[in-house]
């Protein structure tokens, strides 16, 4: 049983959301430069996204929080071993927010990292920490009526929330995913859908204001032709770009690293509470079946998030 210290809470975990850093940590973060790897010690208990109930508080924390339902992204990216795959986890007070009352714990646990990623890339960075991927700061382009956002990988955990965040800002949204996700994404508000198995978005789209590439990596630069002059490309997993080419095209390419923020979660939760944002569950597994959950993640082509059910009776029906 972990013990909360100053500024911390002990959360009785009801559900855990799976995220790529969980399996990166499990695999030893292959391909990540040593300088960018956070410290890891064994035994490692992965997991950073939780929803649960406050069971105890640290010595300097107001005990009125006892018994309250909270959700959050725990201590990321400071550590990849926040210990969420467990019945109890310690959380910094500033990392959690009140759980939206209408959400089951399983759905709330699916939100923190993915929702904060979409929000910090598209709307408000909310912190001054430099990106480990580049020297240039990430400054989101203001969105609103008259702007167009293309989301690549739109059916996944970050993507399906980014579609809704962009729509909540008034933007026109183009969703890129495989054809089986079209009805799902149009129901979330996508104005245009591109099945990448049939046509390449860079061949048919032009004059986009923002591209959020939730796949990212070495192939992300293929989206440069889709941008209008003054446009922005945000690869979630940063690849290699040519600053001279970007300048010639008149575009900006920046990335960032998502960070824990209970304050931002509380702010964005209002979109959930007023019905403008919903979270989709791809699949759910009992905590004891975390291995199977990781195997499902490795299979790719997710529609929403994978969650682990921890508390007895927790339901994760989509």
């Amino acid at each position: 049983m972990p013990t909360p210290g100053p500024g911390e809470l002990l959360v009785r975990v009801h559900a855990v959301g799976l995220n790529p850093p969980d399996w990166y940590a499990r695999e030893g973060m292959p391909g990540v430069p040593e300088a960018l790897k956070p410290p890891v010690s064994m035994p490692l208990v992965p997991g950073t996204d939780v929803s649960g109930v406050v069971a105890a508080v640290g010595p300097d924390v107001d005990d009125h929080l006892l018994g309250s339902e909270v959700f959050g992204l725990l201590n990321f990216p400071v550590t990849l071993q926040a210990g969420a795959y467990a019945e109890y986890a310690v959380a910094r007070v500033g990392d959690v927010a009140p759980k939206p009352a209408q959400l089951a714990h399983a759905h709330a646990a699916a939100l923190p990292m993915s929702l904060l990623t979409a929000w910090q890339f598209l709307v408000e960075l909310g912190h001054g920490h430099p990106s480990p991927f580049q020297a240039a700061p990430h400054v989101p382009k203001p969105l609103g009526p008259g702007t167009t956002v293309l989301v690549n990988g739109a059916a996944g955990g970050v993507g399906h929330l980014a579609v809704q965040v962009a729509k909540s800002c008034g933007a026109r949204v183009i969703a890129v995913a495989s054809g089986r996700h079209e009805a799902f994404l149009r129901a979330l508000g996508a104005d245009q859908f591109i099945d990448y198995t049939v046509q390449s978005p860079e061949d048919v789209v032009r004059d986009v204001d923002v591209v959020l590439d939730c796949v990212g990596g070495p192939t992300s630069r293929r989206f440069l032709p889709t941008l209008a002059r003054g446009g922005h490309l945000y690869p979630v997993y940063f690849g290699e770009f040519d600053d001279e080419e970007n300048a010639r095209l008149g575009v900006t390419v920046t990335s960032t690293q998502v960070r824990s923020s209970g304050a931002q979660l509380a702010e964005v939760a209002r979109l959930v509470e007023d019905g403008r944002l919903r979270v989709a569950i791809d699949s759910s597994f009992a905590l004891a079946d975390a291995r199977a959950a990781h195997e499902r993640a490795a299979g790719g082509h997710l529609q929403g998030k994978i969650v682990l059910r921890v508390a007895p009776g927790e339901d994760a029906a989509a």
Side-chain angles (χ1 to χ4, degrees):
M1 178 71 72
T3 300
E8 294 180 334
L9 306 168
L10 180 67
V11 178
R12 169 68 171 99
V13 179
H14 281 238
V16 182
L18 266 69
N19 293 296
D22 297 355
W23 43 92
Y24 296 165
R26 187 200 71 221
E27 295 172 353
M29 291 170 280
V32 177
E34 288 297 325
L36 297 182
K37 292 182 180 180
V40 171
S41 60
M42 295 296 180
L44 182 146
V45 180
T48 54
D49 274 6
V50 300
S51 183
V53 177
V54 177
V57 298
D60 60 344
V61 178
D62 194 325
D63 60 10
H64 81 277
L65 292 171
L66 286 170
S68 59
E69 295 184 324
V70 297
F71 74 125
L73 168 62
L74 308 187
N75 205 24
F76 193 88
V78 176
T79 179
L80 295 184
Q81 51 179 340
Y85 287 24
E87 294 174 322
Y88 290 87
V90 167
R92 299 183 301 183
V93 172
D95 289 352
V96 300
K99 180 183 74 67
Q102 68 268 49
L103 286 187
H105 283 287
H107 286 75
L111 280 172
M113 180 176 284
S114 293
L115 184 53
L116 286 174
T117 299
W119 192 259
Q120 291 175 8
F121 269 88
L122 290 176
V123 180
E124 180 188 16
L125 183 59
H127 63 79
H129 296 275
S131 169
F133 308 112
Q134 63 179 69
H138 177 72
V139 181
K141 180 181 178 68
L143 302 179
T147 58
T148 298
V149 176
L150 182 149
V151 180
N152 184 45
V158 174
H160 86 287
L161 297 172
V163 167
Q164 298 172 81
V165 167
K167 287 298 294 183
S168 75
C169 295
R172 176 176 178 268
V173 177
I174 303 171
V176 179
S178 62
R180 70 185 186 91
H181 299 300
E182 180 173 3
F184 166 67
L185 290 165
R186 288 195 181 277
L188 295 181
D191 299 284
Q192 180 180 344
F193 177 83
I194 296 175
D195 181 351
Y196 72 86
T197 68
V198 175
Q199 55 186 182
S200 299
E202 63 270 25
D203 293 337
V204 295
V205 176
R206 292 293 182 272
D207 297 325
V208 168
D209 297 290
V210 172
V211 172
L212 178 66
D213 182 6
C214 299
V215 179
T219 65
S220 194
R221 66 186 301 166
R222 69 190 175 98
F223 288 101
L224 291 175
T226 69
L227 293 169
R229 291 193 70 83
H232 291 238
L233 170 59
Y234 306 147
V236 173
Y237 301 102
F238 202 72
E240 294 184 1
F241 293 87
D242 186 327
D243 290 339
E244 293 185 1
E245 179 184 27
N246 297 342
R248 176 173 52 81
L249 295 172
V251 302
T252 300
V253 181
T254 57
S255 187
T256 187
Q257 186 173 41
V258 64
R259 300 191 75 89
S260 301
S261 175
Q264 282 187 323
L265 278 179
E267 178 182 0
V268 186
R270 290 199 293 268
L271 297 178
V272 176
E273 292 163 351
D274 66 15
R276 287 187 290 163
L277 187 146
R278 68 181 180 92
V279 57
I281 302 297
D282 174 88
S283 50
S284 68
F285 298 81
L287 177 61
D289 297 324
R291 174 177 178 163
H294 278 226
E295 290 170 345
R296 167 67 191 115
H301 303 286
L302 305 183
Q303 184 168 288
K305 291 293 295 285
I306 302 172
V307 296
L308 299 177
R309 306 182 308 275
V310 181
E314 188 61 43
D315 184 11

